[in-house]
Amino acid sequence: MKIQHRPKRKSSYPGRLQIISALKYLGVSEKSLYPKWSRPQPKGGFWLRSVNHLDILEQARNNFRKQIKEVHPDKTGGCARKTLALNRSWSFVQKKFRAAGHTLPCL
């Protein structure tokens, strides 16, 4: 009996959640995530990039707060699904940044 494997899905939200797709979902700009490289991009992903990770985290937090105010279900025209998706992506981003040793002070 031949075993069939499902094709791999790309790492786009809301499927398999990756740090870059979660940051894009929160509205972090492409310029912040993909700066111009003077040399080839290092292998190893997001954490080895020569970017200011705290600036990216702060941008994600500010965008999250703006978006959550617009889509919160207590607000007229709010959507529970969008709120859950935003909360899920923000908690994922926070967890990954904490694991890498980056945290923002509480406001």
Side-chain angles (χ1 to χ4, degrees):
M1 184 170 173
K2 192 175 183 181
I3 298 174
Q4 293 182 354
H5 296 283
R6 282 194 234 167
K8 288 187 177 181
R9 288 179 15 165
K10 292 185 179 181
S11 62
S12 62
Y13 190 79
R16 201 172 139 228
L17 200 58
Q18 298 288 326
I19 188 70
I20 295 290
S21 58
L23 289 168
K24 284 182 182 178
Y25 188 78
L26 289 172
V28 175
S29 68
E30 294 270 334
K31 289 181 181 180
S32 298
L33 297 173
Y34 301 108
K36 291 185 179 180
W37 296 94
S38 57
R39 55 183 178 235
Q41 182 175 349
K43 301 279 183 189
F46 176 72
W47 303 110
L48 296 179
R49 295 180 184 184
S50 59
V51 296
N52 189 340
H53 292 96
L54 287 178
D55 284 346
I56 291 174
L57 183 59
E58 187 172 7
Q59 187 180 2
R61 179 176 66 180
N62 292 338
N63 290 343
F64 167 74
R65 289 183 175 176
K66 287 178 189 173
Q67 290 179 25
I68 204 73
K69 286 178 186 175
E70 295 172 6
V71 299
H72 197 276
D74 290 345
K75 197 161 186 149
T76 306
C79 178
R81 281 189 187 159
K82 289 180 183 178
T83 302
L84 288 174
L86 280 172
N87 283 329
R88 179 179 172 215
S89 61
W90 175 241
S91 65
F92 177 79
V93 166
Q94 277 185 314
K95 186 171 89 173
K96 290 295 183 181
F97 271 80
R98 274 192 207 121
H102 302 291
T103 57
L104 288 174
C106 295
L107 293 178

